């Protein structure tokens, strides 16, 4: 009997069953102890509100997909493949979908053997399945720092020890990687795999030659490869590895992760892995246990979509991709401009040649988790604090991840203006508290926006750059041996900033404040 | 035995402790349903007051942590619309939630609390407060802990080992509240004593929506110790992180230390005017037997792993009984 009624925003009422933890505690697997929540993640759960401009999402812009095309494809699937769409499918995926994957990979300049593909429920499932297949508690994964925030709780759930290596502008510095590997070796440890997200700047050749020399498996997580806005495409690690092997076959040290999420739609929940056959078999067994198969409805949707032709006979998906690239690169430029306008000189940020995000790093005395609390509360703007991309939950504390792809231009400008305002206020306060000599350079751009009542040139508007910042936490970022898991599944939703149920449909409402 | 009441459980809201609050609320709801009450679950938001007016519950069970729910805002609203509610009133809420105010009151009353200074952000901009920071450092010495005056979660609690770390620590704390306190750092054991009003008499006979039941004298529950999983001197924040701590109840203490902790908790409960229930956090400083009162929570967590339910359990008060007693506090004001 459920006697509770629901009130403002409450979906489910109380169940009368007893939920005393003690009754279940003895049943929980030891891994659940490492599936913890954190205050930072809980705060991020609060950022997806309709009144907040969120630069925190990991979202592409799905409003650009033509409703008529969507309707046409869905009815095509419904009419032409009723029974198949409603039926279970093969665990490794439907042939028609694998054909699309081969086509996408070819567009990436990577030839693959269709029998080495497994279709998954999003790229996220690949990360999970690879861990399931390879990671025993305490096993080591080497990852970049920062890494994909959504991988952090997955690594945690499998109780992996993650060594994160701070990236420079060329990616994971190979010397650092060698040092970490040697250090691990001295402890008799060897990473199960290297988890890497190719960015658009750094060629993977160096990484691959090292992986080859050390016989290390690489998980190449490449959701954005086709979303390159400028510069020459870089070969995938997968293709580099296959090339070295020659013989026209696949790679033997690379597990490639791809997804339709960023080039088409994350709502389809379709991704894939290309892997050496023995690994593929384990992924397949793991997937059988996880969900038997990915949805045939969306697989057939993808197949139908990839069959679409333009009036001119070109591939429709390529045209849509071009359209996305134009849109996203413009938004990236808007954000870069806004960064230059609103962030002080001592902030640094990436100038990505593709993808969805900019990674910005502020004065080291600013903790972006605190900044988020203030920015959300006082300015109604959100971003992902850098710590979310670090397995120890502490490093990266002066950085932030900013999504430009899923945010309209005016919101990017306004959002960045708001963040810049809070940053300047914090820097000015730090400067004042440090008793520093005003320096007119640092906040020059902010001067126009000084709070009314603050004397121009007064201490409140300035910050001294000479004062050494006080890092609050022990351990330098990316020191390498940061073991320890983090996050539970609600934390995961927070990190990739999925839309919250209640605000679905209102996500694109105008925010006036 | 108990008369069935219509009870609105207030939980969630936009506070930084939203998640914990949702769990506390859900847990209390289950108990209230088992106790035979009609439960109205409210995730508080702009519809709160209209919803309460429309539903006219006999009482509001407050399971809100942090802003609004713990600082007296919601309590004052409930008084305005005439709905009895659990726990402390607006004045006690304000006194406890503002950690600086609570510490000043304790200091005046001779209750031991770690030495501290209070600072407001506007005074940095408007009154040259930065020039007082050196004096504060000199008086308290390093290391120091900087906390937002009213923020219950780990967020914003900062640790400064030396002068050059203090400004960013302060600005971090100011991100959550324009009032902060800078406190001497003490190393020691973290203890918590929950105080509960005795079983109310007549609560079941008093008509809904009316006070009148007699309030019985409060008493202290057994001491709980929070033991950090990994002791890390520099990592102050993780001590507050969920899952980073294990709890021992009753805490393994000398009998007279435990008794002193309980007496202090009772004293503070009365001093600050708490009602129904509260949790008092203390520290037993290492290398001595100094007990310090750190802070008081007027809406202690009610999740499966929270300190209050564990302490009650150790005193033979099950969760349903605990929930019933907290609910009864709505009618004993
Ligand atoms: C680097 C990276 N890997 C994997 C994923 C998972 O995406 P999906 O599960 O939607 O394919 C994402 C999504 O944001 C990502 O950014």
């Amino acid at each position: 009997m459920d006697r509770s009624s629901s009130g403002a925003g409450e979906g489910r009422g109380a169940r009368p069953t007893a939920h005393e933890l003690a009754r279940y505690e003895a049943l929980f697997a030891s891994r659940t102890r490492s599936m913890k929540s954190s205050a930072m993640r809980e705060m991020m759960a609060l950022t997806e509100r309709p009144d907040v401009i969120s630069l925190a999402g990991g979202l592409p812009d799905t409003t650009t997909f033509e409703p008529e095309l969507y309707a046409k494809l869905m009815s095509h699937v419904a009419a032409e493949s009723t029974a198949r769409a409603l039926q279970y499918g093969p665990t490794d995926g439907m042939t028609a979908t694998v054909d699309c994957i081969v086509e996408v990979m070819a567009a990436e300049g990577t030839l693959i053997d269709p029998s080495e593909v497994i279709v998954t429920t999003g790229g996220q499932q690949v990360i999970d399945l690879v861990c399931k297949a390879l990671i025993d508690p305490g096993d080591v994964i080497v990852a970049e720092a920062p890494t994909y925030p959504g991988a952090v709780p997955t690594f945690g759930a499998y109780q992996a020890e993650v060594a994160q290596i701070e990236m420079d502008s060329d990616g994971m510095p190979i010397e650092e990687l060698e040092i970490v590997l040697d250090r691990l070796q001295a402890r008799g440890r060897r990473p199960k795999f290297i988890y890497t997200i190719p960015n658009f700047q750094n060629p993977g050749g160096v990484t691959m030659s090292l992986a080859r020399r050390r016989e290390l498996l690489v998980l190449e997580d490449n959701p954005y490869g086709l979303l390159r806005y400028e510069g020459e495409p870089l070969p995938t690690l997968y293709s580099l590895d296959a090339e070295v092997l020659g013989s026209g076959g696949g790679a033997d040290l690379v597990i490639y992760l791809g997804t339709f999420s960023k080039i088409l739609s994350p709502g389809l929940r379709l991704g894939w892995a290309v892997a050496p056959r023995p690994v593929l078999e384990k992924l397949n067994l793991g997937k059988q246990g996880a969900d038997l198969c990915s949805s045939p409805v969306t697989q057939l949707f993808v197949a139908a979509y990839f069959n679409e032709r333009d009036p001119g006979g070109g591939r429709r998906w390529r045209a849509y991709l071009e359209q996305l690239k134009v849109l996203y690169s413009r938004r990236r430029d808007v954000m870069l401009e806004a960064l230059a306008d609103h962030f002080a000189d001592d902030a640094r940020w990436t100038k990505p040649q593709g993808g969805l995000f900019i990674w910005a790093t502020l004065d080291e005395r600013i903790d972006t988790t605190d900044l988020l609390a203030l920015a959300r509360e006082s300015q109604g703007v959100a971003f992902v604090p850098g710590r979310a991309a670090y397995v120890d939950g502490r490093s990266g504390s002066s950085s932030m991840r900013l999504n430009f792809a899923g945010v309209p231009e005016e919101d990017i400008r306004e959002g960045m203006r708001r963040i810049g305002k809070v940053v300047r206020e914090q820097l000015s306060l730090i400067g004042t508290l440090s008793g520093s000599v005003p320096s007119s350079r640092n906040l020059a751009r902010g001067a126009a926006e000084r709070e009314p009542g603050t004397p121009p040139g007064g201490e409140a508007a300035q910050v001294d750059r000479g004062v050494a910042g006080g890092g609050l936490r022990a351990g330098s970022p990316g020191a390498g041996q940061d073991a320890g898991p983090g996050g539970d599944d609600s934390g995961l939703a927070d990190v990739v900033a999925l839309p919250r149920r209640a605000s679905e449909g209102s996500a694109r409402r105008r925010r006036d404040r | 035995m108990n008369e069935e009441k219509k009870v609105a459980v207030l939980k969630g809201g936009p506070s930084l402790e939203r998640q914990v609050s949702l769990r506390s609320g859900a847990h209390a709801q289950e108990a209230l349903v088992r106790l035979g009450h009609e439960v109205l679950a409210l995730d508080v938001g702009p519809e709160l007051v209209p919803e309460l007016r429309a539903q006219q519950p006999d009482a509001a069970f407050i399971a809100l942590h942090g802003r609004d729910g713990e600082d007296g805002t919601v309590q004052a609203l409930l008084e305005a619309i005439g709905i009895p509610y659990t726990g402390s009133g607006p004045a006690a809420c304000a006194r406890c939630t503002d950690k600086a105010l609570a510490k000043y009151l304790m200091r005046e009353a001779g209750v031991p609390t770690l030495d501290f200074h209070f600072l407001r952000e506007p005074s940095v901009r408007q009154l040259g407060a930065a020039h007082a920071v050196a004096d504060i450092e000199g008086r308290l010495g390093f290391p120091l802990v900087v906390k937002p005056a009213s923020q219950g979660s780990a967020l914003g609690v900062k640790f400064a080992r030396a002068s050059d770390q203090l400004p960013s620590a302060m600005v971090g704390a100011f991100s959550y509240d324009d009032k902060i306190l800078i406190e001497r750092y003490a190393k020691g054991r973290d203890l918590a004593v929950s105080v509960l009003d005795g079983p109310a008499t007549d609560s079941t006979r008093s008509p809904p929506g009316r006070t009148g039941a007699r309030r019985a004298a409060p008493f202290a529950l057994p001491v709980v110790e929070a033991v950090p999983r990994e002791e890390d001197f520099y990592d102050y924040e993780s001590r507050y992180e969920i899952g980073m701590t294990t709890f021992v109840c009753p805490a393994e203490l000398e009998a007279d230390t435990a008794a002193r902790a309980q007496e202090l908790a009772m004293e503070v409960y009365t001093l600050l005017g708490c009602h129904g229930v509260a949790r008092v956090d203390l520290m037993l400083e290492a290398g001595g037997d100094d007990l310090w009162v750190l802070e008081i929570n007027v809406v202690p967590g009610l999740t499966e792993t929270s300190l209050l339910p564990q302490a009650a359990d150790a005193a033979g008060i099950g969760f349903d009984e605990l929930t019933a007693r907290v609910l009864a506090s709505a009618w004993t004001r």
Side-chain angles (χ1 to χ4, degrees), chain A residues 1-10 12-22 25 33 36-43 45-46 49 364-367 369-371 373-377 387 394 425-435 451 454-455 459-461 467-474 488 490 494 500, chain B residues 4 11 13-20 22-23 26-27 29-30 33-34 36-45 47-48 51 55 67 119 121 124-125 128-131 133 153-156 158-161 164-176 229 232 234-235 237-238 241-244 304-305 319-320:
Chain A
M1 175 183 56
D2 188 346
R3 318 152 113 270
S4 65
S5 62
S6 46
E10 168 71 6
R12 286 170 294 167
R15 283 149 301 168
T17 41
H19 275 244
E20 300 303 325
L21 184 75
E25 204 159 46
R33 248 177 276 138
K36 65 183 171 63
S37 189
S38 77
M40 183 262 297
R41 278 158 200 270
E42 299 211 342
M43 175 166 62
L46 297 172
R49 296 194 323 227
E364 64 178 346
R365 295 170 297 174
I366 288 186
D367 184 323
T369 304
D370 303 327
L371 186 77
L374 183 61
R376 177 188 81 94
E377 188 65 33
R387 295 193 207 191
R394 285 177 213 115
E425 283 169 6
Q426 292 219 324
L427 282 175
S428 122
L429 200 56
I430 291 174
T432 308
L433 287 167
S434 313
E451 289 292 317
T454 310
E459 52 183 1
V467 174
L472 287 173
R473 270 151 291 276
D488 55 10
S490 71
D494 303 344
R500 303 248 297 215
Chain B
E4 178 174 318
K11 58 178 182 175
S15 111
L16 293 171
E17 289 156 274
R18 173 183 170 79
Q19 300 302 324
V20 184
L22 288 174
R23 291 206 298 275
H27 201 210
Q29 272 165 243
E30 290 160 9
V33 168
R34 283 192 298 269
H37 299 296
E38 182 186 346
V39 172
L40 172 70
L42 296 177
D43 186 346
V44 308
E47 293 305 307
L48 177 66
E51 185 80 12
Q55 299 277 352
R67 203 186 59 190
L119 212 63
E121 193 195 298
V124 178
R125 300 183 189 281
H131 298 282
V133 172
S153 83
L155 292 165
K158 303 287 170 178
F159 183 85
R161 268 165 290 172
D164 64 342
Q165 297 182 350
L166 197 54
S168 53
M170 289 166 70
V171 169
F174 277 137
S175 304
Y176 302 86
R229 283 239 171 96
D232 181 353
Y234 298 112
D235 187 9
E237 276 180 46
S238 75
E241 296 273 318
I242 301 146
M244 296 299 274
E304 292 87 342
T305 51
F319 189 71
D320 289 3

Side-chain angles (χ1 to χ4, degrees), chain A residues 58 122-124 127 148 195 197 221 223-224 257 259 261-262 266 269:
Chain A
Q124 188 72 32
I127 304 175
Y148 164 51
Y195 174 65
I197 303 145
D221 183 355
Y224 322 117
L257 177 165
T259 177
S261 289
K262 315 296 173 177
R269 304 309 303 128

Side-chain angles (χ1 to χ4, degrees), chain A residues 443-461:
Chain A
L443 294 163
R445 291 196 184 90
E449 285 184 22
R450 199 176 293 124
E451 289 292 317
T454 310
E459 52 183 1

Side-chain angles (χ1 to χ4, degrees), chain B:
Chain B
M1 40 169 239
N2 260 330
E3 192 184 318
E4 178 174 318
K5 298 267 167 57
K6 182 169 171 180
V7 182
V9 174
L10 311 193
K11 58 178 182 175
S15 111
L16 293 171
E17 289 156 274
R18 173 183 170 79
Q19 300 302 324
V20 184
S21 166
L22 288 174
R23 291 206 298 275
S24 285
H27 201 210
Q29 272 165 243
E30 290 160 9
L32 289 166
V33 168
R34 283 192 298 269
L35 291 163
H37 299 296
E38 182 186 346
V39 172
L40 172 70
L42 296 177
D43 186 346
V44 308
E47 293 305 307
L48 177 66
V49 173
E51 185 80 12
L52 286 170
R53 297 192 81 116
Q55 299 277 352
Q56 287 296 325
D58 298 319
F61 190 105
I62 298 182
L64 294 163
H65 308 310
R67 203 186 59 190
D68 296 350
E70 218 163 344
D71 63 9
T73 307
V74 166
Q75 288 79 359
L77 269 179
L78 290 165
E79 290 188 358
I81 58 174
I83 294 176
Y85 58 88
T86 57
S88 297
C93 286
R95 285 190 284 262
C96 295
T97 304
D98 184 336
K99 290 176 201 159
L101 179 56
K103 284 176 72 91
Y104 279 127
L105 291 168
M106 288 193 280
R107 192 146 84 182
E108 277 174 19
V111 175
T113 186
L114 288 167
D115 208 3
F116 75 105
H117 278 277
F118 164 72
L119 212 63
R120 284 202 59 203
E121 193 195 298
S123 73
V124 178
R125 300 183 189 281
Q126 293 158 15
L127 302 173
H131 298 282
V133 172
D135 301 271
I136 293 174
E137 290 175 13
R139 198 153 314 130
L140 299 178
F142 283 97
L144 289 169
V145 176
V146 186
K147 305 172 178 173
S150 50
Q151 162 62 30
S153 83
L155 292 165
V157 179
K158 303 287 170 178
F159 183 85
R161 268 165 290 172
S163 260
D164 64 342
Q165 297 182 350
L166 197 54
S168 53
M170 289 166 70
V171 169
F174 277 137
S175 304
Y176 302 86
D177 194 344
D178 77 0
K179 297 176 189 169
I180 60 168
L181 44 98
I182 303 173
E183 196 176 66
R184 171 171 89 77
Y185 173 81
K187 203 171 159 58
R189 296 165 69 181
D190 287 313
L191 308 177
V193 180
S194 297
V195 180
L196 200 57
D197 281 359
T201 53
D202 284 350
S203 75
T204 53
R205 254 169 286 151
S206 73
R210 263 192 42 200
T211 55
R214 277 233 330 277
R215 181 185 176 196
F219 64 100
L221 294 172
V223 184
V224 187
E225 177 173 6
V227 186
R229 283 239 171 96
E230 289 154 49
E231 185 67 72
D232 181 353
F233 182 73
Y234 298 112
D235 187 9
Y236 198 80
E237 276 180 46
S238 75
R239 306 176 67 167
Y240 289 81
E241 296 273 318
I242 301 146
M244 296 299 274
T245 309
T246 53
F247 300 114
V248 183
C249 184
E252 288 159 22
L253 297 169
E254 304 279 343
D256 81 297
T257 308
R260 265 194 308 132
Q262 289 178 311
E263 274 161 32
L264 276 175
M266 296 273 293
E267 187 182 345
V268 168
Y269 186 87
T270 310
L271 172 71
L272 298 177
C274 299
H275 179 93
V277 65
R279 195 190 77 225
V280 179
D281 294 346
L282 304 101
M283 165 162 290
L284 176 61
E285 188 163 5
D289 58 357
D290 283 333
L291 272 172
W292 306 102
V293 177
L294 300 175
E295 60 181 79
I296 303 90
N297 297 276
V298 282
V299 187
L302 290 172
T303 70
E304 292 87 342
T305 51
S306 296
L307 298 168
L308 168 62
Q310 292 189 51
D313 198 60
I317 302 171
F319 189 71
D320 289 3
E321 168 75 13
L322 173 67
T323 307
R325 293 217 197 169
V326 174
L327 177 62
S329 73
W331 295 290
T332 57
R333 206 172 304 279

